[in-house]
Amino acid sequence: MEVTADPESITAAVAEVHKTQLRFGLAPLGDGTWRVVVPADGVAEDRAVPATLDDFKRQLRAFAGTDFGVHAPRWLSRFGDATRQAERYRVGRVFLAGDAAHIHPPTGGQGLNLGIQDAFNLGWKLAAAVDGWAPEGLLDTYEAERHPVGARVLENTRAQMALLGAEPGPTALRELFSKLMDFEEVNRYITGMITAVDVRYDLGEGHALLGRRLRDLPLKQGRLYELTHGGRGLLLDRTGRLSAEGWADRVDHVVDPCEQLDAPAVLLRPDGHVAWAGEDQEDLRGALRAWFGAPTA
């Protein structure tokens, strides 16, 4: 939404409110718009009733003594700290994904990414089943892979909400956490967790890349991700000695000497995760059969 108050007065007001309430804030988004968050008066009896600008202004005045001249809202929404996850993501022909499978506070902005990756993981597997080439058990890997990822997001959003408390315990934890964030290893771990770039599906023992989503490497034909837009598997081969013959209707074979690839070759699933890494043709054929079904004649 837009505000009429000047940035200096906003900064001063927010700093004062933060002494007792960290779940409050105004942040510029550019183009004259601001993201504004203020605690509600209580839990809405009917969540279907939309939030109103008048309610919003009233809560701003209650916490900050001013409504900052907020107007022209582009989006108003309520959210809580409820944290729930479905026990199962699949029962027979019924699959759950996104907000149907998990809800959590929006701290860290992880919900959209989590839901999209659920759909990405499930989508190509459903397509494989519809097209008739899905190997046995492929659809069951959706829950096996995505349920632990969802549980991890619920865990870290709970922790973030706890850190926002104004009591002595959360305050001490924030001070300790702030010191830990001075370490590069901690920053890397937290960044990977919040962005989900460190997600590694348990595909068994093997190469360090196995189960991870391969980054967007530069290739002779362009960027790697540009070659994956068709939703097919991809064999990225530095050796030039491997073959995906028999699976050409499902898997593209790209020979490229990419020095940034930390393996002789990798087999990517349509969701970009590494299903196999190595240089042995027979091992590759086993991975192709396991993830892309039986070869064509």
Side-chain angles (χ1 to χ4, degrees):
M1 61 180 61
E2 299 177 18
V3 302
T4 59
D6 61 273
E8 291 77 11
S9 62
I10 292 175
T11 299
V14 171
E16 185 63 28
V17 176
H18 274 181
K19 293 178 180 179
T20 57
Q21 179 55 259
L22 293 179
R23 299 170 189 178
F24 176 95
L26 288 83
L29 300 178
D31 299 326
T33 62
W34 291 67
R35 182 184 70 232
V36 186
V37 180
V38 61
D41 188 33
V43 178
E45 293 184 4
D46 186 353
R47 295 295 184 92
V49 176
T52 68
L53 182 58
D54 286 341
D55 290 340
F56 200 75
K57 287 182 174 181
R58 182 167 54 252
Q59 287 305 106
L60 284 172
R61 289 192 293 268
F63 279 89
T66 175
D67 61 18
F68 302 99
V70 295
H71 63 284
R74 298 187 182 182
W75 179 54
L76 289 172
S77 176
R78 297 187 182 94
F79 66 87
D81 61 358
T83 305
R84 302 287 187 274
Q85 184 179 28
E87 292 184 2
R88 299 287 308 277
Y89 281 15
R90 180 193 183 185
V91 176
R93 294 166 58 89
V94 177
F95 294 83
L96 300 180
D99 290 351
H102 39 69
I103 59 171
H104 56 86
T107 48
Q110 301 171 78
L112 179 61
N113 186 35
L114 181 61
I116 289 175
Q117 293 303 318
D118 284 349
F120 205 175
N121 185 290
L122 177 60
W124 74 271
K125 297 170 182 176
L126 286 175
V130 171
D131 288 344
W133 57 260
E136 184 178 358
L138 181 65
L139 290 177
D140 289 330
T141 65
Y142 165 63
E143 178 181 315
E145 292 175 355
R146 294 304 299 172
H147 197 281
V149 176
R152 189 186 187 202
V153 171
L154 267 62
E155 183 180 74
N156 85 62
T157 54
R158 276 193 176 110
Q160 290 185 67
M161 292 301 290
L163 286 171
L164 291 175
E167 298 80 9
T171 300
L173 281 174
R174 279 196 306 276
E175 293 178 358
L176 174 60
F177 200 81
S178 297
K179 295 175 183 176
L180 291 174
M181 291 295 289
D182 289 336
F183 294 93
E184 177 61 28
E185 294 84 354
V186 176
N187 268 289
R188 185 177 296 276
Y189 177 83
I190 297 298
T191 299
M193 178 179 64
I194 299 297
T195 61
V197 298
D198 70 345
V199 169
R200 182 181 186 184
Y201 299 139
D202 184 6
L203 304 187
E205 298 295 325
H207 196 279
L209 290 174
L210 189 63
R212 296 191 181 278
R213 189 165 188 262
L214 193 62
R215 61 191 178 91
D216 190 16
L217 299 171
L219 306 175
K220 292 186 300 183
Q221 301 92 324
R223 305 294 302 189
L224 173 64
Y225 288 179
E226 294 173 356
L227 305 180
T228 64
H229 290 175
R232 294 160 52 86
L234 188 147
L235 172 61
L236 180 56
D237 178 11
R238 294 180 60 194
T239 72
R241 301 189 303 270
L242 299 172
S243 171
E245 184 179 359
W247 289 271
D249 58 329
R250 286 154 271 172
V251 178
D252 296 324
H253 184 191
V254 176
V255 177
D256 193 290
C258 178
E259 295 182 356
Q260 296 186 32
L261 177 62
D262 298 325
V266 293
L267 176 64
L268 300 184
R269 308 186 321 186
D271 59 5
H273 284 263
V274 177
W276 170 88
E279 55 185 327
D280 183 85
Q281 180 64 46
E282 287 307 307
D283 285 347
L284 171 60
R285 287 183 63 84
L288 285 164
R289 184 178 291 273
W291 288 105
F292 295 96
T296 55

